[in-house]
């Protein structure tokens, strides 16, 4: 008989599929493999599938349900132009921004926001390590994200501040955590799962082509519903070519774009052009320097990506715009 289940593990051509009552080790029907032979990782953690039960432990996957979202990163090496899907149907991405040690970079948060939105995943910003500083340091950034309709949570895994709030945000959702290393991802996951939560699986081991290392992901089921997918792809996850990216940059910086309509030149770069409305708005304090800087950086990196293929980790440093260029004409 046929069942519907969730892929919680992928290993070569075997997949662990979870139903409400059981976990089945499944093969994939030949016709489905054939249909997807050009796609790497065509079946990933988070996929909902229809499978036929063989016995109490085994099954065969017939169909993949349409995905709500895709969490992916740019491919590596010869695959650098191909996106590599890491997980699907992720509802939200928790962007961990450490207030100190290491201090977060606002631009990097914005970059994650755009990337998540591009994958149809809701971004949530988590300012961690609040025990090391006070709110005044992050107030402007918090307001900035709230104004854009992005949820914000402030946490400390030391004092446990904000942990309950974060748990509430994770309830009944499939979440991924992103952030630079040292920001506190492991500590936060530990604080959330405590002892009561089952680690469903040390999930998909897949071979990371460029590096020839085997990496693995873990799925944590939360006691009140929902799960966290902890995948190794997170570190490289950022902003990369997609059709939709443009829109999402604009979407994230709509206030800036609105003002830019008043620049004298339609293709104004808001750097040294005369009668630049962005520059004026900055001088009048109508928009924040932080946002303009972040926007220009994103646009700037987009340009270089759209032009020639430029892997970011190839020692090529993208031209960074200095805000002083904008303010001091
Ligand atoms: P990951 O690399 O993102 O997984 O970060 P870890 O969870 O390993 O944390 C990196 C370091 O930050 C460790 O030394 C943690 O003890 C520390 N850390 C994590 N959360 C907090 C916090 O809320 N406050 C402070 N002061 N340190 C923290
Ligand atoms: Zn301008």
């Amino acid at each position: 008989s046929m069942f519907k289940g969730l892929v919680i593990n992928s290993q070569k051509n075997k997949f662990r599929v979870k139903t409400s009552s059981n976990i089945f080790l499944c093969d994939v029907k030949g016709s489905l493999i054939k249909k997807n032979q050009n796609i790497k990782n065509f079946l990933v953690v988070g996929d909902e599938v229809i499978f036929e039960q063989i016995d109490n432990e085994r099954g065969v996957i017939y169909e993949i349900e349409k995905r709500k979202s895709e969490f992916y990163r740019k491919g590596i090496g010869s695959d650098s132009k191909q996106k590599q899907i890491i997980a699907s149907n992720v509802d939200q991405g928790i962007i961990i921004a450490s207030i100190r040690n290491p201090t977060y970079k606002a631009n990097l948060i914005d970059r994650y926001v755009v990337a998540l939105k591009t994958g149809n995943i809701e971004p949530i910003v988590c300012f961690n390590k609040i025990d090391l500083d006070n709110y005044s340091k992050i107030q402007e950034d918090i307001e900035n994200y709230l104004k854009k309709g992005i949820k914000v949570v402030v946490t400390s895994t030391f004092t446990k501040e904000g942990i309950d709030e974060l748990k509430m945000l994770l309830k009944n959702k499939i979440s991924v955590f992103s952030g630079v290393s040292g920001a506190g991802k492991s500590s936060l996951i530990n604080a959330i799962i405590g002892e009561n939560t089952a680690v469903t699986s040390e999930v998909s081991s897949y071979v990371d082509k460029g590096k020839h290392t085997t990496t693995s992901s873990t799925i944590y089921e939360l006691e009140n519903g929902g799960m966290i997918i902890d995948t190794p792809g997170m570190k490289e996850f950022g902003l990369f070519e997609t059709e939709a990216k443009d829109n999402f940059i604009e979407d994230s910086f709509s206030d800036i774009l609105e003002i830019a309509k008043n620049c004298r030149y339609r293709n104004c770069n808001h750097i040294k052009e005369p009668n630049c409305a962005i520059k004026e708005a900055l001088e009048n304090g109508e928009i924040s320097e932080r946002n303009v800087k972040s926007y220009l950086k994103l646009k700037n990196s987009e340009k270089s990506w759209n032009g020639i293929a430029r892997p970011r980790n190839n020692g090529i440093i993208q031209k960074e715009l200095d805000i002083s260029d904008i303010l001091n004409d």
Side-chain angles (χ1 to χ4, degrees):
S1 49
M2 295 296 223
F3 283 93
K4 199 168 170 172
L6 176 75
V7 175
I8 57 166
N9 172 298
S10 71
Q11 209 142 22
K12 291 202 179 126
N13 296 320
K14 295 271 186 199
F15 298 86
R16 269 179 222 288
V17 176
K18 186 182 175 308
T19 66
S20 52
S21 58
N22 218 341
I23 293 175
F24 295 85
L25 188 61
C26 294
D27 292 314
V28 181
K29 200 168 160 54
S31 57
L32 187 58
I33 296 177
K34 205 164 170 208
K35 203 167 101 187
N36 292 287
Q37 61 189 354
N38 294 325
I39 307 170
K40 196 166 88 181
N41 295 357
F42 74 91
L43 194 51
V44 294
V45 170
D47 271 328
E48 288 197 1
V49 294
I50 310 288
F51 70 98
E52 183 179 32
Q53 188 180 343
I54 294 175
D55 57 31
N56 280 341
E57 292 173 346
R58 292 178 304 152
V60 178
I61 296 170
Y62 273 66
E63 242 177 87
I64 310 169
E65 301 274 49
K66 193 169 158 25
R67 291 171 180 155
K68 283 187 293 186
S69 67
E70 286 180 343
F71 184 72
Y72 53 84
R73 64 171 169 180
K74 203 170 155 177
I76 299 166
S78 57
D79 293 328
S80 64
K81 277 185 198 140
Q82 203 188 1
K83 68 180 182 186
Q84 183 180 355
I85 299 166
I86 301 162
S88 68
N89 297 322
V90 173
D91 296 304
Q92 52 190 24
I94 315 299
I95 302 161
I96 310 165
S98 168
I99 295 168
R100 267 176 188 275
N101 306 344
T103 303
Y104 69 86
K105 293 194 174 69
N107 179 248
L108 189 61
I109 302 179
D110 293 344
R111 190 165 272 222
Y112 279 125
V113 166
V114 171
L116 286 167
K117 283 190 178 178
T118 304
N120 203 23
I121 300 167
E122 184 184 355
I124 295 177
V125 181
C126 172
F127 290 100
N128 189 35
K129 309 197 188 184
I130 187 63
D131 56 292
L132 296 180
D133 214 320
N134 55 40
Y135 274 78
S136 63
K137 189 173 167 198
I138 51 172
Q139 199 56 47
E140 191 193 346
D141 282 325
I142 290 178
E143 280 165 16
N144 167 62
Y145 291 115
L146 291 178
K147 228 163 46 191
K148 288 176 181 170
I150 295 167
K151 289 175 192 156
V152 172
V153 59
V154 181
T155 57
S156 165
T157 64
F158 284 20
T159 67
K160 302 285 179 253
E161 175 172 350
I163 298 297
D164 283 341
E165 205 185 322
L166 181 56
K167 279 185 184 169
M168 288 298 292
L169 290 170
L170 299 175
K171 198 175 165 184
N172 293 328
K173 305 268 178 162
I174 299 183
S175 307
V176 291
F177 282 56
S178 317
V180 298
S181 98
K185 187 180 85 175
S186 321
S187 309
L188 280 166
I189 291 176
N190 278 335
I192 291 154
I193 63 168
E195 304 106 50
N196 296 324
T197 315
V199 174
T200 298
S201 167
E202 277 166 39
V203 193
S204 63
S205 293
Y206 65 87
V207 175
D208 198 326
K209 270 201 165 172
K211 293 172 187 160
H212 299 288
T213 51
T214 303
T215 44
S216 66
S217 331
T218 308
I219 284 193
Y220 301 97
E221 275 195 272
L222 306 176
E223 53 183 333
N224 295 321
M227 55 183 77
I228 298 170
I229 301 178
D230 188 11
T231 86
M234 235 85 77
K235 294 253 154 71
E236 295 90 344
F237 173 71
L239 185 64
F240 30 75
E241 297 97 328
T242 77
E243 329 73 59
K245 190 179 64 182
D246 235 1
N247 302 338
F248 285 99
I249 292 181
E250 324 256 291
D251 181 61
S252 293
F253 296 96
S254 55
D255 50 342
I256 291 176
L257 286 156
E258 198 50 43
I259 293 170
K261 284 183 186 159
N262 300 320
C263 291
R264 178 156 153 200
Y265 298 107
R266 253 188 61 188
N267 58 348
C268 184
N269 289 311
H270 322 303
I271 299 174
K272 303 216 185 224
E273 290 84 352
N275 296 37
C276 169
I278 293 290
K279 208 177 94 181
E280 277 163 30
L282 269 173
E283 279 162 3
N284 303 335
E286 284 164 46
I287 45 177
S288 76
E289 195 173 304
R290 170 222 180 279
N291 271 355
V292 173
K293 196 170 171 179
S294 190
Y295 169 71
L296 291 177
K297 270 195 175 174
L298 279 167
K299 285 301 277 185
N300 190 42
S301 56
E302 184 198 29
K303 263 183 204 158
S304 48
W305 270 313
N306 280 347
I308 343 144
R310 269 208 206 176
R312 265 188 298 157
N313 298 325
N314 234 10
I316 299 165
I317 298 157
Q318 270 150 21
K319 197 188 100 198
E320 297 233 330
L321 289 169
D322 187 342
I323 196 72
S324 58
D325 284 348
I326 301 161
L327 293 171
N328 316 315
D329 200 2

